[in-house]
Amino acid sequence: FIHLAKDAMNRCDTIRSTLTSPVDFAPKATPTQTLHHLDQISNEVCSVIDAAELCRCVHSSEEWRDKASRAFELLSGYIRDLNADTG
């Protein structure tokens, strides 16, 4: 799960960089493109955090629940950072 969480965060950071690139280096995204990028970020995070939440709540293996919980906590922190990003 940690590997999946980190991969999702890396993909999100790549998308974020297209949103925060200085105008000199990349053309400014249209509002529709910006919305699409934000939706991509949401989908990336949710595809892992939702599965981790389910696993940590219902899986019969303590080891799986623990690993899912770690991924959930990592992504929860990442979401807090995204929500606080004013860049």
Side-chain angles (χ1 to χ4, degrees), residues 3-17 44 75 78:
H3 178 71
L4 295 173
K6 288 181 179 179
D7 284 350
M9 290 166 52
N10 287 335
R11 287 189 298 273
C12 289
D13 287 341
T14 299
I15 297 166
R16 285 173 72 189
S17 71
E44 288 289 343
L75 285 171
Y78 186 73

Side-chain angles (χ1 to χ4, degrees), residues 2-3 5 7 10-13 16-18 21 25-26 29 34 42-43 48 57 64-66 74-75 78 81 86-87:
I2 292 293
H3 178 71
D7 284 350
N10 287 335
R11 287 189 298 273
C12 289
D13 287 341
R16 285 173 72 189
S17 71
T18 66
S21 295
F25 297 110
T34 299
S42 176
N43 289 339
V48 179
C57 291
W64 275 78
R65 288 192 310 270
D66 181 57
L74 179 66
L75 285 171
Y78 186 73
D81 291 345
T86 60

Side-chain angles (χ1 to χ4, degrees), residues 7-82:
D7 284 350
M9 290 166 52
N10 287 335
R11 287 189 298 273
C12 289
D13 287 341
T14 299
I15 297 166
R16 285 173 72 189
S17 71
T18 66
L19 294 171
T20 59
S21 295
V23 176
D24 295 345
F25 297 110
K28 185 135 176 99
T30 67
T32 302
Q33 290 169 323
T34 299
L35 183 60
H36 178 72
H37 290 312
L38 293 173
D39 190 48
Q40 283 180 301
I41 290 171
S42 176
N43 289 339
E44 288 289 343
V45 171
C46 290
S47 70
V48 179
I49 202 167
D50 290 349
E53 173 68 350
L54 176 64
C55 185
R56 78 186 192 134
C57 291
V58 302
H59 203 285
S60 60
S61 167
E62 184 176 344
E63 180 182 5
W64 275 78
R65 288 192 310 270
D66 181 57
K67 290 178 189 276
S69 186
R70 287 188 215 166
F72 182 88
E73 290 170 15
L74 179 66
L75 285 171
S76 292
Y78 186 73
I79 291 169
R80 279 190 297 278
D81 291 345
L82 287 173

